[in-house]
Amino acid sequence: QVQLVESGGGLVQPGGSLRLSCAASGSIFSINYMGWYRQAPGKQRELVAFITRSGSTSYGDSVKGRFTISRDNAKNTVYLQMNSLKPEDTAVYYCTGAPTSWPPRWDYWGQGTQVTVSS
């Protein structure tokens, strides 16, 4: 029904920046929310940010002021701009989509992309 493909992960130095992309295809008109989760080794999976159909955004406390979620409707793509990266940001980042209004039901998931912040 819906396919999500992440890209843009890689290795970056502390203080650097990286932009992740999530391209959506299929029945994307059914998606009300798009978000980014991350999971680091030994840690619980956490919601990084999400954006609603109307464009409202929400961020986890650990990334507020550093990360920005955005969307390009013409390209059916959601982005996560990550600035001032810290080693603690190292994780696998997953794109996710939810078809319901509230609370989000994260039914659709990408394959994940590795982000490593290290000197």
Side-chain angles (χ1 to χ4, degrees):
Q1 188 78 274
V2 174
Q3 296 81 45
L4 304 175
V5 180
E6 304 101 328
S7 62
L11 176 65
V12 65
Q13 294 184 347
S17 297
L18 206 61
R19 189 178 74 165
L20 306 183
S21 299
C22 175
S25 61
S27 302
I28 57 177
F29 54 84
S30 67
I31 299 177
N32 291 327
Y33 302 89
M34 295 292 296
W36 291 91
Y37 275 79
R38 69 183 183 185
Q39 188 164 31
K43 290 189 175 182
Q44 185 178 0
R45 180 175 292 191
E46 64 175 342
L47 181 64
V48 176
F50 71 85
I51 186 167
T52 69
R53 184 183 296 273
S54 63
S56 298
T57 58
S58 183
Y59 298 90
D61 289 338
S62 63
V63 306
K64 286 181 179 177
R66 300 188 298 121
F67 290 11
T68 303
I69 188 170
S70 61
R71 65 182 185 185
D72 186 334
N73 291 327
K75 297 181 179 180
N76 297 323
T77 301
V78 176
Y79 303 96
L80 185 68
Q81 179 66 47
M82 304 184 294
N83 299 324
S84 301
L85 283 163
K86 306 174 181 179
E88 306 91 84
D89 296 318
T90 296
V92 177
Y93 285 71
Y94 299 90
C95 181
T96 185
T100 191
S101 295
W102 190 261
R105 188 179 77 247
W106 304 111
D107 284 346
Y108 309 111
W109 292 86
Q111 81 286 354
T113 185
Q114 176 70 47
V115 172
T116 302
V117 184
S118 176
S119 299

